[in-house]
Structures are given as C-alpha cells and as structure tokens.
Amino acid sequence: MWDYLQHLSYWNWLAIGTLLLILEVFGAGGYLLWIGIAAASVGVLTYLFPALPWALQFILFGAFSVLTAVYWWRRQRTAAKPSDQPGLNRRGSELVGRQFVLHEAINAGHGKIKAGDTLWLVSGPDLPAGSKVKVIGQDGVLLKVEASG
C-alpha cells in the first residue's frame, strides 16, 4: 500500500476525478463535482511536477476540495436574489384583498366564488349566492372570505 501511495501518478488523480464526476451525474447534488475538480487539479499538478510527494498530493487534494466548495457556496449565496414573481407557485395569493360575488351560497361555512374562469372553494360566514365577499386569506386551496359592503 505504501509503495502504491509513493508512486501515485497523474493518471490516478485523473481517474479519481473522472469517477467522482461520473458519480455526480447520478445525482449527488453538486457535492462530488467540486471534489472531482479538485482531484483533476491535483492530477494536472502531478503531471506538471511528477516529483510531488504523495503526502503533498493529498494535502493539495484536501485544500483544493475545501477551496472549490467554499468558492461555489459563496457564489451561490451572492447569486441568490429575491424573485420578481413571489406568488408564482401560490395560485390563490393574488386573490387576497380582492372582492368577488359568491357563485354558490356559503352554507355551513363553505361555498364557492368564481375568479376569472376558475371556481374557488371559500370558507366564511353563511351568505346567500350573489353576495359580495372579500378574500382575506388562503389556506391551501381554500380561500377565507368575509362579507363585503
């Protein structure tokens, strides 16, 4: 084992880097990408400087792994910006605060309103069909309403 470690070549590092990159393709979520790049970098350095001792190769591999991971983590944090469409996947949130006419009466706390071409389930005080209501909140697909004057 010691003999193998003392004679690591750039091919070994490139093979390790390639293996890690292949494993990344199978869904590691970006973690193995940076370690694979670090292994390939050590392979390039070992090609350029074939007399690098194996201990230094492993130290470089560890340092490159940490540096590339920290670089990507910092880049991801600075690249994150608030969405210009914050309600994109919350369909009913754009209805909060708007007024509608009841499509079906609210009986036992549940009824329906029509918003555009969609019927929405609503909860609120019992009211007859045709009454004006204001959407005051949302609970999943159920809109909370109150009587509007």
Side-chain angles (χ1 to χ4, degrees):
M1 176 78 171
W2 290 110
D3 189 45
Y4 179 74
L5 287 177
Q6 291 175 352
H7 295 95
L8 281 175
S9 72
Y10 66 92
W11 286 114
N12 299 108
W13 287 107
L14 292 177
I16 292 169
T18 303
L19 178 66
L20 289 168
L21 293 174
I22 289 170
L23 290 173
E24 174 63 35
V25 170
F26 291 113
Y31 299 109
L32 296 179
L33 173 68
W34 301 106
I35 298 172
I37 290 173
S41 300
V42 172
V44 169
L45 284 175
T46 306
Y47 177 76
L48 296 174
F49 306 103
L52 279 176
W54 68 271
L56 182 58
Q57 292 176 25
F58 278 97
I59 289 170
L60 287 171
F61 173 64
F64 287 164
S65 296
V66 170
L67 288 174
T68 55
V70 168
Y71 164 75
W72 186 249
W73 178 76
R74 293 184 94 191
R75 181 175 169 161
Q76 289 292 83
R77 297 228 12 198
T78 58
K81 61 180 180 177
S83 173
D84 58 345
Q85 297 177 352
L88 183 62
N89 289 322
R90 297 181 308 180
R91 258 191 87 214
S93 64
E94 72 273 5
L95 302 176
V96 176
R98 292 180 52 193
Q99 292 186 5
F100 297 95
V101 176
L102 277 177
H103 185 70
E104 290 182 16
I106 300 178
N107 291 320
H110 295 286
K112 292 182 181 178
I113 62 170
K114 188 167 187 173
D117 62 349
T118 305
L119 286 176
W120 286 85
L121 294 173
V122 296
S123 68
D126 289 352
L127 294 168
S131 300
K132 284 190 174 188
V133 292
K134 181 178 180 181
V135 179
I136 58 171
Q138 179 183 7
D139 184 19
V141 296
L142 186 67
L143 299 176
K144 297 176 183 179
V145 297
E146 66 182 12
S148 176

